[in-house]
Short mmCIF file of all heavy atoms in Angstrom, two decimals:
data_model
loop_
_atom_site.label_atom_id
_atom_site.label_comp_id
_atom_site.label_asym_id
_atom_site.label_seq_id
_atom_site.Cartn_x
_atom_site.Cartn_y
_atom_site.Cartn_z
N ALA A 1160 -154.66 120.32 -39.96
CA ALA A 1160 -155.88 120.12 -39.22
C ALA A 1160 -155.78 119.10 -38.17
O ALA A 1160 -156.72 118.56 -37.65
CB ALA A 1160 -156.98 119.73 -40.15
N TYR A 1161 -154.53 118.78 -37.70
CA TYR A 1161 -154.33 117.80 -36.63
C TYR A 1161 -155.03 118.18 -35.34
O TYR A 1161 -154.95 119.31 -34.85
CB TYR A 1161 -152.83 117.66 -36.33
CG TYR A 1161 -152.53 116.82 -35.05
CD1 TYR A 1161 -152.78 115.48 -35.08
CD2 TYR A 1161 -152.01 117.41 -33.96
CE1 TYR A 1161 -152.56 114.70 -33.96
CE2 TYR A 1161 -151.77 116.65 -32.84
CZ TYR A 1161 -152.00 115.31 -32.83
OH TYR A 1161 -151.77 114.53 -31.72
N THR A 1162 -155.83 117.24 -34.84
CA THR A 1162 -156.56 117.38 -33.57
C THR A 1162 -156.24 116.19 -32.73
O THR A 1162 -156.49 115.04 -33.16
CB THR A 1162 -158.06 117.51 -33.84
OG1 THR A 1162 -158.31 118.60 -34.75
CG2 THR A 1162 -158.81 117.79 -32.56
N PRO A 1163 -155.67 116.34 -31.57
CA PRO A 1163 -155.27 115.21 -30.74
C PRO A 1163 -156.37 114.24 -30.37
O PRO A 1163 -156.12 113.03 -30.23
CB PRO A 1163 -154.63 115.81 -29.50
CG PRO A 1163 -154.30 117.22 -29.87
CD PRO A 1163 -155.31 117.58 -30.91
N SER A 1164 -157.59 114.73 -30.26
CA SER A 1164 -158.67 113.87 -29.80
C SER A 1164 -159.45 113.20 -30.92
O SER A 1164 -160.46 112.57 -30.71
CB SER A 1164 -159.67 114.76 -29.01
OG SER A 1164 -160.21 115.77 -29.78
N MET A 1165 -158.95 113.35 -32.18
CA MET A 1165 -159.63 112.79 -33.33
C MET A 1165 -158.55 112.00 -34.17
O MET A 1165 -157.37 112.34 -34.16
CB MET A 1165 -160.27 113.84 -34.21
CG MET A 1165 -161.45 114.44 -33.62
SD MET A 1165 -162.29 115.48 -34.76
CE MET A 1165 -162.89 114.27 -35.92
N ASP A 1166 -159.04 111.09 -34.93
CA ASP A 1166 -158.20 110.32 -35.84
C ASP A 1166 -158.20 111.03 -37.16
O ASP A 1166 -159.06 110.81 -38.01
CB ASP A 1166 -158.74 108.88 -35.98
CG ASP A 1166 -157.85 108.03 -36.89
OD1 ASP A 1166 -156.76 108.48 -37.24
OD2 ASP A 1166 -158.29 106.95 -37.29
N THR A 1167 -157.20 111.88 -37.36
CA THR A 1167 -157.13 112.64 -38.62
C THR A 1167 -156.03 112.13 -39.53
O THR A 1167 -155.71 112.75 -40.56
CB THR A 1167 -156.77 114.16 -38.29
OG1 THR A 1167 -155.57 114.21 -37.54
CG2 THR A 1167 -157.95 114.79 -37.52
N GLY A 1168 -155.46 111.00 -39.23
CA GLY A 1168 -154.31 110.44 -39.97
C GLY A 1168 -154.68 109.77 -41.24
O GLY A 1168 -155.84 109.58 -41.62
N ASP A 1169 -153.62 109.35 -41.95
CA ASP A 1169 -153.75 108.66 -43.22
C ASP A 1169 -153.49 107.19 -43.10
O ASP A 1169 -153.06 106.69 -42.06
CB ASP A 1169 -152.72 109.23 -44.23
CG ASP A 1169 -153.01 110.72 -44.57
OD1 ASP A 1169 -154.16 111.13 -44.46
OD2 ASP A 1169 -152.08 111.41 -44.97
N PHE A 1170 -153.73 106.45 -44.19
CA PHE A 1170 -153.44 105.04 -44.24
C PHE A 1170 -151.99 104.83 -44.67
O PHE A 1170 -151.45 105.58 -45.46
CB PHE A 1170 -154.34 104.33 -45.28
CG PHE A 1170 -155.75 104.23 -44.85
CD1 PHE A 1170 -156.69 105.27 -45.05
CD2 PHE A 1170 -156.24 103.04 -44.30
CE1 PHE A 1170 -157.97 105.16 -44.66
CE2 PHE A 1170 -157.51 102.94 -43.89
CZ PHE A 1170 -158.43 103.97 -44.07
N VAL A 1171 -151.36 103.81 -44.08
CA VAL A 1171 -149.96 103.51 -44.43
C VAL A 1171 -149.81 102.04 -44.77
O VAL A 1171 -150.26 101.16 -43.96
CB VAL A 1171 -148.96 103.87 -43.27
CG1 VAL A 1171 -147.55 103.52 -43.61
CG2 VAL A 1171 -149.10 105.31 -42.92
N VAL A 1172 -149.25 101.74 -45.90
CA VAL A 1172 -148.95 100.35 -46.35
C VAL A 1172 -147.46 100.19 -46.30
O VAL A 1172 -146.75 100.90 -46.93
CB VAL A 1172 -149.53 100.11 -47.78
CG1 VAL A 1172 -149.20 98.70 -48.19
CG2 VAL A 1172 -150.98 100.39 -47.84
N VAL A 1173 -147.01 99.17 -45.56
CA VAL A 1173 -145.57 98.89 -45.41
C VAL A 1173 -145.29 97.58 -46.16
O VAL A 1173 -145.91 96.57 -45.82
CB VAL A 1173 -145.15 98.82 -43.93
CG1 VAL A 1173 -143.67 98.55 -43.82
CG2 VAL A 1173 -145.50 100.07 -43.18
N VAL A 1174 -144.36 97.60 -47.09
CA VAL A 1174 -143.95 96.42 -47.78
C VAL A 1174 -142.54 96.12 -47.45
O VAL A 1174 -141.78 97.00 -46.95
CB VAL A 1174 -144.13 96.61 -49.32
CG1 VAL A 1174 -145.57 96.69 -49.71
CG2 VAL A 1174 -143.35 97.76 -49.86
N ASN A 1175 -142.13 94.87 -47.66
CA ASN A 1175 -140.77 94.38 -47.31
C ASN A 1175 -140.46 94.54 -45.85
O ASN A 1175 -139.39 94.91 -45.46
CB ASN A 1175 -139.66 95.10 -48.17
CG ASN A 1175 -139.81 94.71 -49.63
OD1 ASN A 1175 -140.08 93.55 -49.95
ND2 ASN A 1175 -139.58 95.67 -50.50
N ALA A 1176 -141.43 94.25 -44.99
CA ALA A 1176 -141.22 94.37 -43.57
C ALA A 1176 -140.19 93.39 -43.04
O ALA A 1176 -139.57 93.63 -41.98
CB ALA A 1176 -142.58 94.15 -42.81
N GLY A 1177 -139.96 92.34 -43.72
CA GLY A 1177 -138.97 91.35 -43.29
C GLY A 1177 -137.53 91.79 -43.53
O GLY A 1177 -136.56 91.17 -43.06
N LYS A 1178 -137.36 92.91 -44.24
CA LYS A 1178 -136.01 93.40 -44.58
C LYS A 1178 -135.57 94.63 -43.83
O LYS A 1178 -134.63 95.28 -44.19
CB LYS A 1178 -135.95 93.70 -46.09
CG LYS A 1178 -136.18 92.49 -46.97
CD LYS A 1178 -136.17 92.84 -48.42
CE LYS A 1178 -136.44 91.64 -49.28
NZ LYS A 1178 -136.54 91.97 -50.71
N VAL A 1179 -136.29 94.92 -42.71
CA VAL A 1179 -135.88 96.02 -41.88
C VAL A 1179 -134.61 95.65 -41.13
O VAL A 1179 -134.24 94.46 -41.03
CB VAL A 1179 -136.98 96.42 -40.82
CG1 VAL A 1179 -138.17 96.97 -41.50
CG2 VAL A 1179 -137.33 95.20 -39.93
N ARG A 1180 -133.92 96.67 -40.61
CA ARG A 1180 -132.68 96.33 -39.86
C ARG A 1180 -132.71 96.97 -38.48
O ARG A 1180 -133.48 97.85 -38.17
CB ARG A 1180 -131.47 96.87 -40.66
CG ARG A 1180 -131.31 98.38 -40.76
CD ARG A 1180 -130.09 98.74 -41.56
NE ARG A 1180 -130.03 100.16 -41.66
CZ ARG A 1180 -129.39 100.97 -40.81
NH1 ARG A 1180 -128.81 100.44 -39.72
NH2 ARG A 1180 -129.34 102.26 -40.98
N PHE A 1181 -131.83 96.40 -37.65
CA PHE A 1181 -131.69 96.89 -36.28
C PHE A 1181 -130.29 97.33 -36.08
O PHE A 1181 -129.35 96.92 -36.75
CB PHE A 1181 -132.02 95.72 -35.29
CG PHE A 1181 -133.43 95.30 -35.26
CD1 PHE A 1181 -133.87 94.30 -36.07
CD2 PHE A 1181 -134.34 95.94 -34.46
CE1 PHE A 1181 -135.17 93.89 -36.07
CE2 PHE A 1181 -135.65 95.58 -34.43
CZ PHE A 1181 -136.09 94.55 -35.26
N THR A 1182 -130.12 98.24 -35.14
CA THR A 1182 -128.79 98.71 -34.79
C THR A 1182 -128.26 97.87 -33.61
O THR A 1182 -129.04 97.30 -32.85
CB THR A 1182 -128.76 100.19 -34.39
OG1 THR A 1182 -129.69 100.37 -33.32
CG2 THR A 1182 -129.18 101.07 -35.58
N GLY A 1183 -126.99 97.85 -33.47
CA GLY A 1183 -126.35 97.10 -32.35
C GLY A 1183 -126.62 95.60 -32.42
O GLY A 1183 -126.64 95.03 -33.48
N ASN A 1184 -126.81 95.02 -31.28
CA ASN A 1184 -127.04 93.56 -31.18
C ASN A 1184 -128.51 93.21 -31.00
O ASN A 1184 -128.79 92.12 -30.52
CB ASN A 1184 -126.22 92.98 -29.99
CG ASN A 1184 -124.73 93.17 -30.19
OD1 ASN A 1184 -124.23 93.09 -31.32
ND2 ASN A 1184 -124.00 93.41 -29.12
N LYS A 1185 -129.42 94.06 -31.38
CA LYS A 1185 -130.82 93.81 -31.17
C LYS A 1185 -131.30 92.57 -31.90
O LYS A 1185 -132.24 91.89 -31.47
CB LYS A 1185 -131.67 95.01 -31.54
CG LYS A 1185 -131.47 96.21 -30.66
CD LYS A 1185 -132.40 97.34 -31.04
CE LYS A 1185 -132.00 98.64 -30.37
NZ LYS A 1185 -131.09 99.37 -31.16
N GLU A 1186 -130.69 92.30 -33.04
CA GLU A 1186 -131.12 91.10 -33.84
C GLU A 1186 -131.01 89.83 -33.02
O GLU A 1186 -131.88 88.96 -33.16
CB GLU A 1186 -130.27 91.02 -35.11
CG GLU A 1186 -130.72 89.97 -36.07
CD GLU A 1186 -131.99 90.28 -36.78
OE1 GLU A 1186 -132.22 91.44 -37.12
OE2 GLU A 1186 -132.84 89.33 -36.95
N THR A 1187 -130.03 89.71 -32.25
CA THR A 1187 -129.82 88.47 -31.42
C THR A 1187 -130.26 88.64 -29.96
O THR A 1187 -130.67 87.65 -29.35
CB THR A 1187 -128.33 88.07 -31.44
OG1 THR A 1187 -127.52 89.13 -31.01
CG2 THR A 1187 -127.95 87.64 -32.86
N ASP A 1188 -130.15 89.87 -29.41
CA ASP A 1188 -130.43 90.07 -27.98
C ASP A 1188 -131.85 90.45 -27.66
O ASP A 1188 -132.32 90.19 -26.54
CB ASP A 1188 -129.49 91.11 -27.41
CG ASP A 1188 -128.02 90.70 -27.51
OD1 ASP A 1188 -127.76 89.51 -27.79
OD2 ASP A 1188 -127.16 91.55 -27.29
#
């Protein structure tokens, strides 16, 4: 039932956000 002009999405809870990783040198650059 996705409709671009309406908010039809769900709720998202993200835990351990501090433990994500980056590719390449993004961590320092």
Side-chain angles (χ1 to χ4, degrees):
Y1161 169 68
T1162 304
S1164 60
M1165 290 188 67
D1166 181 12
T1167 57
D1169 294 337
F1170 288 84
V1171 178
V1172 178
V1173 180
V1174 294
N1175 292 321
K1178 297 179 182 175
V1179 293
R1180 67 180 179 89
F1181 291 93
T1182 57
N1184 296 327
K1185 293 185 192 91
E1186 186 71 39
T1187 56
D1188 297 349

